[in-house]
PDB file of all heavy atoms in Angstrom:
ATOM      1  N   THR A  80       2.543 -15.258 -18.761  1.00  0.00           N
ATOM      2  CA  THR A  80       1.737 -16.249 -18.008  1.00  0.00           C
ATOM      3  C   THR A  80       0.684 -16.850 -18.927  1.00  0.00           C
ATOM      4  O   THR A  80      -0.022 -16.118 -19.606  1.00  0.00           O
ATOM      5  CB  THR A  80       1.022 -15.587 -16.861  1.00  0.00           C
ATOM      6  OG1 THR A  80       2.085 -15.036 -15.961  1.00  0.00           O
ATOM      7  CG2 THR A  80       0.182 -16.485 -16.025  1.00  0.00           C
ATOM      8  N   ALA A  81       0.599 -18.138 -18.922  1.00  0.00           N
ATOM      9  CA  ALA A  81      -0.323 -18.897 -19.807  1.00  0.00           C
ATOM     10  C   ALA A  81      -1.527 -19.403 -18.995  1.00  0.00           C
ATOM     11  O   ALA A  81      -2.648 -19.474 -19.500  1.00  0.00           O
ATOM     12  CB  ALA A  81       0.378 -19.998 -20.553  1.00  0.00           C
ATOM     13  N   GLU A  82      -1.267 -19.770 -17.745  1.00  0.00           N
ATOM     14  CA  GLU A  82      -2.252 -20.384 -16.958  1.00  0.00           C
ATOM     15  C   GLU A  82      -1.931 -20.228 -15.482  1.00  0.00           C
ATOM     16  O   GLU A  82      -0.778 -20.258 -15.086  1.00  0.00           O
ATOM     17  CB  GLU A  82      -2.371 -21.865 -17.303  1.00  0.00           C
ATOM     18  CG  GLU A  82      -3.525 -22.575 -16.555  1.00  0.00           C
ATOM     19  CD  GLU A  82      -3.576 -24.080 -16.969  1.00  0.00           C
ATOM     20  OE1 GLU A  82      -2.977 -24.424 -18.050  1.00  0.00           O
ATOM     21  OE2 GLU A  82      -4.196 -24.853 -16.236  1.00  0.00           O
ATOM     22  N   THR A  83      -2.959 -19.962 -14.656  1.00  0.00           N
ATOM     23  CA  THR A  83      -2.715 -19.869 -13.229  1.00  0.00           C
ATOM     24  C   THR A  83      -3.863 -20.586 -12.436  1.00  0.00           C
ATOM     25  O   THR A  83      -5.012 -20.733 -12.956  1.00  0.00           O
ATOM     26  CB  THR A  83      -2.748 -18.380 -12.694  1.00  0.00           C
ATOM     27  OG1 THR A  83      -4.043 -17.843 -12.906  1.00  0.00           O
ATOM     28  CG2 THR A  83      -1.649 -17.599 -13.351  1.00  0.00           C
ATOM     29  N   HIS A  84      -3.530 -21.027 -11.279  1.00  0.00           N
ATOM     30  CA  HIS A  84      -4.580 -21.493 -10.331  1.00  0.00           C
ATOM     31  C   HIS A  84      -4.271 -20.821  -8.983  1.00  0.00           C
ATOM     32  O   HIS A  84      -3.149 -21.071  -8.442  1.00  0.00           O
ATOM     33  CB  HIS A  84      -4.549 -23.022 -10.251  1.00  0.00           C
ATOM     34  CG  HIS A  84      -5.474 -23.569  -9.210  1.00  0.00           C
ATOM     35  ND1 HIS A  84      -6.800 -23.713  -9.511  1.00  0.00           N
ATOM     36  CD2 HIS A  84      -5.296 -23.921  -7.914  1.00  0.00           C
ATOM     37  CE1 HIS A  84      -7.420 -24.142  -8.417  1.00  0.00           C
ATOM     38  NE2 HIS A  84      -6.569 -24.285  -7.414  1.00  0.00           N
ATOM     39  N   VAL A  85      -5.228 -20.073  -8.452  1.00  0.00           N
ATOM     40  CA  VAL A  85      -5.004 -19.349  -7.199  1.00  0.00           C
ATOM     41  C   VAL A  85      -5.922 -19.932  -6.144  1.00  0.00           C
ATOM     42  O   VAL A  85      -7.077 -20.202  -6.410  1.00  0.00           O
ATOM     43  CB  VAL A  85      -5.254 -17.846  -7.382  1.00  0.00           C
ATOM     44  CG1 VAL A  85      -5.037 -17.089  -6.065  1.00  0.00           C
ATOM     45  CG2 VAL A  85      -4.388 -17.261  -8.471  1.00  0.00           C
ATOM     46  N   ARG A  86      -5.382 -20.071  -4.945  1.00  0.00           N
ATOM     47  CA  ARG A  86      -6.199 -20.434  -3.759  1.00  0.00           C
ATOM     48  C   ARG A  86      -6.062 -19.265  -2.798  1.00  0.00           C
ATOM     49  O   ARG A  86      -4.957 -18.899  -2.437  1.00  0.00           O
ATOM     50  CB  ARG A  86      -5.730 -21.694  -3.087  1.00  0.00           C
ATOM     51  CG  ARG A  86      -5.938 -22.955  -3.923  1.00  0.00           C
ATOM     52  CD  ARG A  86      -5.525 -24.194  -3.188  1.00  0.00           C
ATOM     53  NE  ARG A  86      -4.327 -24.057  -2.466  1.00  0.00           N
ATOM     54  CZ  ARG A  86      -4.091 -24.655  -1.292  1.00  0.00           C
ATOM     55  NH1 ARG A  86      -4.904 -25.434  -0.649  1.00  0.00           N
ATOM     56  NH2 ARG A  86      -2.868 -24.438  -0.638  1.00  0.00           N
ATOM     57  N   TYR A  87      -7.250 -18.722  -2.356  1.00  0.00           N
ATOM     58  CA  TYR A  87      -7.275 -17.656  -1.424  1.00  0.00           C
ATOM     59  C   TYR A  87      -7.583 -18.274  -0.082  1.00  0.00           C
ATOM     60  O   TYR A  87      -8.665 -18.821   0.134  1.00  0.00           O
ATOM     61  CB  TYR A  87      -8.377 -16.600  -1.791  1.00  0.00           C
ATOM     62  CG  TYR A  87      -8.206 -16.085  -3.208  1.00  0.00           C
ATOM     63  CD1 TYR A  87      -8.917 -16.613  -4.244  1.00  0.00           C
ATOM     64  CD2 TYR A  87      -7.248 -15.074  -3.478  1.00  0.00           C
ATOM     65  CE1 TYR A  87      -8.765 -16.139  -5.561  1.00  0.00           C
ATOM     66  CE2 TYR A  87      -7.048 -14.639  -4.786  1.00  0.00           C
ATOM     67  CZ  TYR A  87      -7.815 -15.187  -5.767  1.00  0.00           C
ATOM     68  OH  TYR A  87      -7.634 -14.685  -7.053  1.00  0.00           O
ATOM     69  N   LEU A  88      -6.618 -18.179   0.854  1.00  0.00           N
ATOM     70  CA  LEU A  88      -6.778 -18.943   2.116  1.00  0.00           C
ATOM     71  C   LEU A  88      -7.084 -18.039   3.333  1.00  0.00           C
ATOM     72  O   LEU A  88      -7.820 -18.498   4.223  1.00  0.00           O
ATOM     73  CB  LEU A  88      -5.427 -19.707   2.366  1.00  0.00           C
ATOM     74  CG  LEU A  88      -5.001 -20.605   1.260  1.00  0.00           C
ATOM     75  CD1 LEU A  88      -3.610 -21.158   1.500  1.00  0.00           C
ATOM     76  CD2 LEU A  88      -5.994 -21.742   1.067  1.00  0.00           C
ATOM     77  N   ARG A  89      -6.578 -16.814   3.353  1.00  0.00           N
ATOM     78  CA  ARG A  89      -6.799 -15.895   4.439  1.00  0.00           C
ATOM     79  C   ARG A  89      -6.802 -14.463   3.920  1.00  0.00           C
ATOM     80  O   ARG A  89      -6.069 -14.132   2.990  1.00  0.00           O
ATOM     81  CB  ARG A  89      -5.732 -16.090   5.460  1.00  0.00           C
ATOM     82  CG  ARG A  89      -6.288 -16.611   6.805  1.00  0.00           C
ATOM     83  CD  ARG A  89      -5.258 -16.851   7.817  1.00  0.00           C
ATOM     84  NE  ARG A  89      -5.504 -15.954   8.937  1.00  0.00           N
ATOM     85  CZ  ARG A  89      -4.927 -16.086  10.063  1.00  0.00           C
ATOM     86  NH1 ARG A  89      -4.001 -17.042  10.259  1.00  0.00           N
ATOM     87  NH2 ARG A  89      -5.138 -15.265  11.067  1.00  0.00           N
ATOM     88  N   GLU A  90      -7.630 -13.665   4.567  1.00  0.00           N
ATOM     89  CA  GLU A  90      -7.728 -12.245   4.158  1.00  0.00           C
ATOM     90  C   GLU A  90      -6.503 -11.434   4.519  1.00  0.00           C
ATOM     91  O   GLU A  90      -5.982 -11.623   5.627  1.00  0.00           O
ATOM     92  CB  GLU A  90      -8.955 -11.625   4.798  1.00  0.00           C
ATOM     93  CG  GLU A  90     -10.300 -12.181   4.362  1.00  0.00           C
ATOM     94  CD  GLU A  90     -11.454 -11.573   5.095  1.00  0.00           C
ATOM     95  OE1 GLU A  90     -11.236 -10.652   5.928  1.00  0.00           O
ATOM     96  OE2 GLU A  90     -12.573 -11.992   4.827  1.00  0.00           O
ATOM     97  N   LEU A  91      -6.163 -10.554   3.629  1.00  0.00           N
ATOM     98  CA  LEU A  91      -5.110  -9.590   3.957  1.00  0.00           C
ATOM     99  C   LEU A  91      -5.735  -8.214   3.973  1.00  0.00           C
ATOM    100  O   LEU A  91      -6.716  -7.946   3.258  1.00  0.00           O
ATOM    101  CB  LEU A  91      -4.023  -9.571   2.864  1.00  0.00           C
ATOM    102  CG  LEU A  91      -3.139 -10.838   2.851  1.00  0.00           C
ATOM    103  CD1 LEU A  91      -2.333 -10.916   1.541  1.00  0.00           C
ATOM    104  CD2 LEU A  91      -2.190 -10.841   4.012  1.00  0.00           C
TER     105      LEU A  91
END
Side-chain angles (χ1 to χ4, degrees):
T80 301
E82 183 177 344
T83 66
H84 176 80
V85 180
R86 291 184 319 144
Y87 304 99
L88 305 172
R89 246 177 115 168
E90 295 178 1
L91 290 167

